[in-house]
Amino acid sequence: MSSNKAPARGRKRFAFDLKNAIQSVSQGVEVRGVRLSVTLISFLAVSLGDEDGSFDCLISQVDGPFKAALTILVSDASEYPSDHTFFCSSHQELPSEILAITESVYEEGSATIQALLVRLLERIARAVVEGTDAVHNATSDDEQQDADSEDEDEDYEMDEYDLELFDVQPSAQILDRFALQRDFNEIVAHGFCPGFIRIGVDEFALTVSLPAKSLADIISPHALLAWDRQLLTGPQYLTLLISGTRGVYPVVKADGRLTHSAAARSTVLQFRVGLTPNYKPDKDITVELMRRYGLQDGDSDKQLSEDASDDDEIEDVDALDDLSSDEGEVNEIEEETEEQARSAGFRPFSLSSSLESLLNGHFLHLLQLRLDYGLGWAGAEVLRWEIESSQSRAEDILLHKEREIRQADKADAKLSESYHLPADCLLDVNPHNPVNLPLIAFSYMLRRLTLCPRYCLVCHQELKEDLDALKPYVCSSTLCTYQYYNLNRGPSLEYEICSNPAAVDLLVSLAYIAAAEGALDAPLPVGMGIRVKSKHSKTKLSTGQDDDLCDLDSLEIDQLLQMRAAIRDLIDMIPPIMQLKRHLEQPHKPGRAKPRLQDIDRSIPEAVWLILRWCVASCTAHLEELKSDEEKVKNMDPTWRQFRFSVGAPHAEAKFRKAVESAKLKNPRAREFPTLYAFHGSPAKNWHSIIRHGLWFKTVANGRAYGNGVYFAKEGSVSLGSYAASATVCWQNSACKAAVCVALAEIVNLPSMFVSTSPFFVVNQTEWIVCRYLMVRAVTSNSNNYIMRTIGASAAPSGTVPVTQETTDADEIPCVPLDPHHPLTLSNALIRIPEPRFALEKLLAARRDAFVPAQFDEEDARIFSGVGDPDAALEGADSVEEAVDRSMVKDDWKHDPEWVNECIEHVLPPPRESSRMASTALQKELQAMLKEQNASRSLKELGWYLPEEFIGDNLYQWIVELHSFDSSLPIAEDLANKKVNSLVFEIRFPATFPHSPPFFRILKPRFLPFIQGGGGHVTGGGSMCMDLLTADGWLPSYSISAILLQIKLAISNLEPRPARLAQNWSTAYGMYEALEGYKRAANTHGWKVPSDIDKLTR
């Protein structure tokens, strides 16, 4: 290969690789058993204006009749060498076995030209050899057939010289089981579940997963529900599937680049993100996911059209009732959705495609940049985007912008104050070992999922706009906007229509009102390729490419009125949402495409569906109609339809809570009643914008007689008066007929710091405000009378509690304690707010109760135990069976028996209770621990030690050492200063093990308690403050070695404070203080203590 520096990506990289490939194969390539002459006979250069490129190659058998002229086409050269697909065709009639190979080239994924050619030649060589052998075998005896069969694997392997032509090295060891075992244990130590899926003889896939219920511990449950309800709809796992390893592990070296074995086998990693009912999908599902295929369409169009026509004839008795079905119907729908989720082997969710695009296109490059230049994820991302945009080398960019890039990492470090980000696995990586690719990839995916509202869903760059959104969106780039809407790179519109039709109806209605009443403003539907009439008319828009059509974008600057009118007309052509819902949910035959929105009426222009997608997808807030009494606000007139209304990024809630805690310290009243609730009214035409931007005060809507800020009223009739002006128009196909809207917000209870408190609350600190509810009603003759009565009613005097109260059977539903000094009323009726987390906690509790911890299957259990599988072992796989000689390891950790003897001097006798189940499990666990310890190349690298001389006759009590902490940690410095060789732990196992967790406690040395400034997740009694060692967090599949690594990581954690040794560090911890410390920590965090924990001390 040429030594010239290759461009990073795009058409220039495609041309560069193709030129080198032409040079490499100019003299032909020999595959053992068959000499193939490969000539790239034409090269269609890719100019800057072209979108694709192709090349022709002639493959011929030198000593045989085979010859094939192939044309290879790249789907999009601008996305090369990632996010593209190759297609192969030929004008000549090819043998069936060769045709099958060429037609499946697209399944190779986003390979480089070199990798594609290597793989293609190997497969064709195999087919040619098998075809030749078939002829020879017809005249040979059985013995010769057996000999040929034994040599078959060698017949189609490429010579080492030929591989080097394509800049790869011949493969050596393929699967290192010791490395896989080490990485699996590290994955479990971080709280994730690894999985190994064998695909045939020479291929496998890897998975890393996390119970979806655990997402609520690191991401706001309200945010998860806003992003996609599937994330909390059942006992399932968030799973990352890694395929394309070509049977090689480790796949990448310590510098993040492919190993020689991986390069030799043309490894092209593919990442898939989805939800699975188990910790990994089964083999059949995995094979289907690794293939790329399309559904048959065939004659379905006609059938779908007929079904759509039938839908049109269905009489809508009451569309409003359809959108607000009773609770029983809603529960039935939710149960069906959960059943579908459980039966699906791998279910994508709304953010899957964006995360997969990020991982497949950029992850390995980001990993290499981090390791090459010592950057964090944020800095590596900034550098990566600079490389792509400027097509410059990383060294040249760092020369001019290193300060900016390093600053991105500093800013990223502050995010931990508002976000619960996964641990950075690269901070303590061993520079001599290949990196743990599955763990790092999953941690990075989880990080980007947590931060998704901060980044563009398409280009993946950080958003620069002044937009604090709850839902992820796209940047201001028109290219990103186009891909987001036209290529469905965002949340599924069809899913929103089927699962949340009332909210879709409301969003379309508010967009229509804003457009018709001249209030529609940014964000506008530009960059989407929408074509409309150049001059507004009352006739419907044409579906053809008439000369009088123009781009909607061209009306943005000087013809905004015409743009609004065009949008209004497009919305008027959207069919009723419930009709769309029935159409999408109609049954379809297996193997046929699901019904599409466009199929309901082919006469509807494509622009109409784009506008519908924009109405829904541009909403970065969360709207969901409330139907249960547990969630509805009490004493609101039943004609009001109530929606949960959440606007603002997930960290906005954290900022609000921080402000509430600060208020408690400042004001005694705030300690008793931390927050207030108040109404905010605004004209109906403004709510399209408010839902997208939140409550701000950049635009004056009703005057500011009482100062700048957001205005609120404690009495609802005030907001319903002149402020919540009714709409003058209505979308003709709306079921909700929205005309009046009012928000109910939660505010920090510090009235003395408001701009004004009478007659309104005027709040200028928007971080003190969180919207909770949106009340919507249609204006009918009855509702008009009610509004007039409400506005005319006398409000209760300030500081008193109204006498009119609703009698309800739901008194057991907890409500928010409201400050009597600032009662929330509507026409003398006291408004009661259900505790916001009550219904959500019930949902999370149900998910936790329904969750059944998965047991690792036999394949994964063999990996954890270090035992190979002779019957299904991969070629070249090694399994370590004998103890490793460590005599040549420099500066390795050494066990000190005297120190351990000193530590165990006062330990209690082993637990008395035992069981056959626990004894069997402990024997296996002990054997696996000793085997892993003996196989370790370095005890320092292993990080723990199980001294065999202290293994007694009782399996239920172990002594284990943790050692070799990172020298830069404060705890490592303390251990070195005190000459402490290790942390000595006692592990006591219950008779219910492995279904109940063991009890871990430190014997010596003694740590500085948390209340005195210590950290490291060690309680004041020496036990560990970790949820995975409680009944809530424990999984029977956890191995003790993985738990030890997790404990070591927790002790090494510098947040919230680093672990330090106490002044009396040499004083041993007692059993009872350890047990009390464990119970205290569990009670503080709400963790469940195992029922048999006390028996361990008897």
Side-chain angles (χ1 to χ4, degrees):
M1 294 290 292
S2 172
S3 61
N4 295 334
K5 183 68 176 180
R9 62 182 286 115
R11 292 180 286 273
K12 292 183 179 179
R13 173 65 183 272
F14 178 81
F16 180 89
D17 284 359
L18 186 52
K19 179 180 178 181
N20 286 336
I22 293 173
Q23 296 174 354
S24 298
V25 301
S26 59
Q27 297 180 351
V29 177
E30 179 178 348
V31 181
R32 290 180 181 174
V34 180
R35 283 188 55 83
L36 295 182
S37 175
V38 182
T39 306
L40 300 180
I41 58 177
S42 69
F43 166 39
L44 304 185
V46 182
S47 65
L48 292 178
D50 295 332
E51 288 297 329
D52 52 37
S54 65
F55 57 89
D56 297 338
C57 59
L58 178 64
I59 302 177
S60 59
Q61 187 177 7
V62 176
D63 299 324
F66 175 75
K67 181 179 293 186
L70 305 178
T71 297
I72 298 176
L73 171 72
V74 63
S75 61
D76 188 353
S78 65
E79 297 292 336
Y80 181 87
S82 60
D83 298 328
H84 70 282
T85 303
F86 280 115
F87 301 94
C88 184
S89 61
S90 177
H91 293 294
Q92 69 185 78
E93 185 175 347
L94 299 175
S96 58
E97 63 274 13
I98 303 299
L99 182 63
I101 294 173
T102 60
E103 289 182 345
S104 62
V105 162
Y106 72 93
E107 297 181 1
E108 296 295 322
S110 300
T112 62
I113 293 175
Q114 292 91 331
L116 172 72
L117 288 176
V118 168
R119 185 63 177 166
L120 183 62
L121 291 178
E122 285 182 351
R123 296 178 65 189
I124 290 178
R126 181 200 293 261
V128 172
V129 167
E130 290 175 349
T132 304
D133 287 347
V135 176
H136 289 305
N137 289 342
T139 58
S140 60
D141 55 22
D142 293 341
E143 182 179 351
Q144 183 61 40
Q145 289 180 17
D146 294 339
D148 291 343
S149 176
E150 291 175 1
D151 295 336
E152 181 181 344
D153 287 341
E154 296 181 0
D155 286 339
Y156 62 89
E157 290 296 333
M158 300 187 70
D159 289 333
E160 294 181 7
Y161 169 75
D162 297 316
L163 290 172
E164 290 170 357
L165 284 175
F166 291 99
D167 200 27
V168 296
Q169 299 296 323
S171 60
Q173 185 182 22
I174 297 174
L175 174 64
D176 185 341
R177 284 187 169 273
F178 175 78
L180 196 60
Q181 178 195 38
R182 179 194 63 219
D183 289 352
F184 269 35
N185 279 325
E186 188 179 3
I187 291 170
V188 172
H190 280 78
F192 310 137
C193 300
F196 180 94
I197 305 170
R198 189 181 300 283
I199 311 294
V201 178
D202 61 347
E203 180 64 289
F204 61 85
L206 299 171
T207 64
V208 184
S209 60
L210 176 72
K213 70 179 184 65
S214 300
L215 287 174
D217 298 331
I218 58 178
I219 302 174
S220 165
H222 288 292
L224 292 174
L225 290 173
W227 297 347
D228 196 323
R229 288 190 65 86
Q230 295 181 92
L231 293 171
L232 291 178
T233 53
Q236 54 196 349
Y237 290 79
L238 172 67
T239 301
L240 174 66
L241 174 68
I242 307 174
S243 61
T245 62
R246 303 290 191 197
V248 177
Y249 198 86
V251 183
V252 295
K253 299 178 291 186
D255 61 359
R257 290 164 176 80
L258 291 180
T259 62
H260 293 315
S261 297
R265 285 196 155 225
S266 307
T267 295
V268 180
L269 295 178
Q270 293 292 321
F271 299 91
R272 296 292 300 271
V273 181
L275 301 172
T276 56
N278 205 345
Y279 76 96
K280 66 179 182 181
D282 60 32
K283 175 182 175 181
D284 293 338
I285 294 294
T286 303
V287 171
E288 289 300 314
L289 289 170
M290 293 169 64
R291 294 176 180 169
R292 295 186 178 184
Y293 61 92
L295 292 171
Q296 299 175 359
D297 237 348
D299 300 329
S300 61
D301 289 346
K302 180 178 179 181
Q303 182 63 40
L304 289 172
S305 180
E306 292 174 358
D307 294 340
S309 300
D310 294 340
D311 279 346
D312 293 339
E313 298 173 3
I314 297 176
E315 182 178 0
D316 291 329
V317 178
D318 191 345
L320 183 62
D321 291 339
D322 288 339
L323 285 178
S324 56
S325 56
D326 59 38
E327 187 176 355
E329 293 174 331
V330 173
N331 289 338
E332 182 179 350
I333 293 174
E334 289 183 354
E335 289 174 3
E336 291 175 359
T337 302
E338 291 184 17
E339 184 62 30
Q340 292 170 0
R342 283 192 292 268
S343 62
F346 192 94
R347 193 186 193 97
F349 59 100
S350 62
L351 299 173
S352 290
S353 62
S354 178
L355 291 171
E356 289 169 1
S357 171
L358 172 68
L359 292 172
N360 288 317
H362 305 287
F363 170 68
L364 286 179
H365 298 285
L366 292 170
L367 177 61
Q368 293 162 16
L369 291 174
R370 285 205 61 184
L371 295 170
D372 286 347
Y373 304 106
L375 299 170
W377 286 120
E381 287 168 349
V382 173
L383 180 56
R384 171 70 174 160
W385 312 142
E386 286 288 340
I387 292 173
E388 283 202 320
S389 61
S390 65
Q391 291 291 303
S392 301
R393 297 187 309 163
E395 295 83 355
D396 297 335
I397 295 173
L398 284 170
L399 190 63
H400 299 93
K401 295 189 175 183
E402 182 171 9
R403 183 176 180 181
E404 175 186 338
I405 292 171
R406 301 288 180 186
Q407 186 61 38
D409 280 334
K410 292 181 180 178
D412 186 71
K414 296 181 180 179
L415 289 178
S416 59
E417 300 175 3
S418 304
Y419 294 91
H420 193 297
L421 299 177
D424 190 346
C425 313
L426 288 177
L427 292 181
D428 55 355
V429 67
N430 188 325
H432 303 294
N433 284 339
V435 295
N436 189 337
L437 179 75
L439 173 60
I440 295 172
F442 188 82
S443 298
Y444 180 65
M445 183 273 292
L446 195 59
R447 165 192 164 86
R448 287 300 295 252
L449 176 64
T450 306
L451 299 175
C452 65
R454 300 176 60 88
Y455 294 89
C456 174
L457 284 172
V458 177
C459 70
H460 311 297
Q461 299 188 39
E462 189 170 9
L463 296 173
K464 305 300 182 183
E465 293 79 4
D466 184 16
L467 180 65
D468 209 17
L470 173 62
K471 290 183 178 180
Y473 195 47
V474 291
C475 63
S476 57
S477 166
T478 55
L479 180 60
C480 291
T481 301
Y482 181 85
Q483 293 186 55
Y484 180 71
Y485 289 107
N486 294 65
L487 304 182
N488 300 328
R489 294 290 291 270
S492 168
L493 173 61
E494 291 75 11
Y495 176 76
E496 289 292 333
I497 290 174
C498 294
S499 63
N500 202 3
V504 174
D505 188 287
L506 177 60
L507 290 171
V508 175
S509 298
L510 295 178
Y512 182 87
I513 294 170
E517 297 191 9
L520 187 63
D521 209 336
L524 295 168
V526 297
M528 298 170 57
I530 298 177
R531 291 176 59 80
V532 298
K533 288 279 188 178
S534 59
K535 292 183 179 180
H536 174 58
S537 66
K538 294 183 179 180
T539 59
K540 288 187 177 181
L541 297 175
S542 170
T543 60
Q545 297 295 324
D546 299 332
D547 293 339
D548 61 345
L549 291 183
C550 68
D551 290 333
L552 185 67
D553 299 14
S554 64
L555 307 178
E556 180 183 8
I557 300 177
D558 54 354
Q559 303 180 56
L560 187 57
L561 291 178
Q562 187 177 339
M563 173 184 276
R564 290 168 176 165
I567 293 171
R568 180 197 64 193
D569 288 349
L570 289 171
I571 293 177
D572 256 336
M573 299 175 67
I574 299 174
I577 301 303
M578 282 308 301
Q579 184 179 339
L580 295 178
K581 182 177 186 293
R582 288 193 298 271
H583 167 70
L584 292 171
E585 291 178 343
Q586 63 182 320
H588 61 283
K589 296 179 181 179
R592 300 288 183 176
K594 292 182 179 180
R596 301 178 303 168
L597 287 174
Q598 294 87 336
D599 297 322
I600 194 170
D601 186 349
R602 293 297 179 90
S603 66
I604 297 177
E606 182 65 24
V608 173
W609 304 118
L610 289 174
I611 283 293
L612 174 58
R613 190 174 297 278
W614 168 76
C615 289
V616 178
S618 65
C619 175
T620 55
H622 177 51
L623 280 174
E624 181 183 11
E625 187 172 18
L626 303 179
K627 297 181 174 66
S628 70
D629 289 336
E630 294 176 348
E631 299 176 293
K632 280 188 173 182
V633 175
K634 312 305 176 187
N635 282 357
M636 290 292 296
D637 184 87
T639 59
W640 285 98
R641 301 182 68 177
Q642 301 185 23
F643 290 80
R644 179 182 291 112
F645 179 34
S646 303
V647 60
H651 72 275
E653 183 76 25
K655 290 181 179 179
F656 177 76
R657 290 299 166 198
K658 187 176 181 180
V660 170
E661 293 303 317
S662 177
K664 290 180 180 179
L665 299 177
K666 297 176 182 178
N667 191 300
R669 195 73 182 171
R671 280 195 288 272
E672 186 176 0
F673 304 101
T675 60
L676 307 171
Y677 277 80
F679 291 97
H680 174 83
S682 188
K685 65 181 181 180
N686 293 340
W687 283 99
H688 172 83
S689 175
I690 293 175
I691 286 174
R692 285 154 178 78
H693 298 294
L695 296 176
W696 54 5
F697 47 92
K698 294 181 179 180
T699 303
V700 179
N702 293 295
R704 293 182 180 170
Y706 299 94
N708 287 334
V710 184
Y711 280 59
F712 295 96
K714 294 182 288 184
E715 167 57 41
S717 61
V718 175
S719 293
L720 290 173
S722 58
Y723 294 97
S726 175
T728 59
V729 295
C730 180
W731 174 41
Q732 62 182 2
N733 289 328
S734 173
C736 70
K737 305 294 182 185
V740 179
C741 300
V742 63
L744 191 55
E746 187 176 8
I747 311 168
V748 176
N749 190 4
L750 284 178
S752 61
M753 301 183 68
F754 294 171
V755 176
S756 176
T757 57
S758 180
F760 310 107
F761 288 149
V762 182
V763 185
N764 64 350
Q765 300 189 64
T766 54
E767 66 270 16
W768 288 10
I769 306 168
V770 174
C771 290
R772 296 298 186 195
Y773 303 93
L774 181 65
M775 311 298 180
V776 180
R777 70 179 302 157
V779 174
T780 63
S781 57
N782 292 335
S783 60
N784 273 327
N785 293 335
Y786 172 79
I787 292 176
M788 294 309 296
R789 290 198 307 271
T790 301
I791 296 172
S794 58
S798 178
T800 64
V801 178
V803 295
T804 304
Q805 298 193 31
E806 180 191 62
T807 58
T808 177
D809 295 333
D811 289 335
E812 71 277 5
I813 300 175
C815 291
V816 176
L818 298 178
D819 191 341
H821 290 178
H822 304 284
L824 182 68
T825 60
L826 181 61
S827 301
N828 289 334
L830 179 67
I831 299 298
R832 298 169 58 206
I833 310 293
E835 178 60 47
R837 291 193 60 86
F838 176 70
L840 191 57
E841 285 297 339
K842 283 187 63 177
L843 171 65
L844 294 176
R847 298 302 171 238
R848 285 191 289 265
D849 293 341
F851 179 74
V852 178
Q855 295 286 339
F856 287 117
D857 62 15
E858 292 183 5
E859 185 82 65
D860 296 325
R862 282 194 294 268
I863 293 173
F864 280 112
S865 64
V867 177
D869 181 8
D871 296 330
L874 300 184
E875 177 190 358
D878 289 347
S879 59
V880 181
E881 299 292 344
E882 299 179 358
V884 175
D885 182 10
R886 306 188 191 94
S887 59
M888 302 302 292
V889 179
K890 295 182 179 180
D891 300 324
D892 199 12
W893 178 86
K894 290 182 174 54
H895 167 57
D896 183 357
E898 294 184 4
W899 163 245
V900 179
N901 264 318
E902 178 185 333
C903 296
I904 66 173
E905 185 176 355
H906 300 292
V907 296
L908 294 178
R912 298 177 182 177
E913 291 194 358
S914 62
S915 68
R916 179 176 297 179
M917 171 190 68
S919 297
T920 301
L922 286 171
Q923 285 177 345
K924 292 181 179 179
E925 192 66 42
L926 183 60
Q927 291 174 0
M929 289 276 289
L930 292 175
K931 185 168 186 175
E932 183 178 355
Q933 181 171 287
N934 292 333
S936 176
R937 297 182 175 91
S938 165
L939 292 179
K940 183 178 181 180
E941 178 184 317
L942 185 64
W944 55 264
Y945 186 73
L946 179 66
E948 297 185 40
E949 67 268 28
F950 295 103
I951 300 175
D953 297 331
N954 194 308
L955 286 169
Y956 292 79
Q957 182 185 42
W958 292 7
I959 301 298
V960 182
E961 298 177 78
L962 282 186
H963 55 79
S964 304
F965 288 85
D966 189 319
S967 59
S968 64
L969 294 172
I971 186 63
E973 296 175 1
D974 289 354
L975 292 173
N977 292 336
K978 305 297 183 184
K979 293 182 170 49
V980 175
N981 190 49
S982 62
L983 309 182
V984 181
F985 279 78
E986 178 191 19
I987 311 176
R988 299 175 76 89
F989 296 90
T992 51
F993 181 83
H995 298 294
S996 294
F999 180 66
F1000 283 73
R1001 74 181 186 100
I1002 298 176
L1003 299 176
K1004 278 186 179 183
R1006 184 174 285 266
F1007 278 61
L1008 188 67
F1010 184 80
I1011 59 174
Q1012 297 180 19
H1017 300 268
V1018 180
T1019 71
S1023 50
M1024 298 306 302
C1025 178
M1026 299 171 65
D1027 65 333
L1028 62 83
L1029 295 178
T1030 66
D1032 286 335
W1034 173 257
L1035 293 177
S1037 54
Y1038 286 163
S1039 67
I1040 300 303
S1041 62
I1043 296 299
L1044 287 171
L1045 289 176
Q1046 180 68 57
I1047 291 175
K1048 187 175 180 182
L1049 287 171
I1051 294 176
S1052 302
N1053 192 354
L1054 300 178
E1055 299 293 339
R1057 290 192 291 264
R1060 304 300 299 261
L1061 293 186
Q1063 292 293 330
N1064 58 336
W1065 62 271
S1066 60
T1067 303
Y1069 285 109
M1071 169 59 76
Y1072 295 104
E1073 65 174 322
L1075 188 58
E1076 288 304 311
Y1078 173 83
K1079 292 179 178 179
R1080 262 195 321 271
N1083 182 62
T1084 300
H1085 294 281
W1087 299 331
K1088 184 178 179 182
V1089 174
S1091 57
D1092 53 358
I1093 187 69
D1094 290 317
K1095 296 179 181 179
L1096 294 178
T1097 63
R1098 299 171 187 167

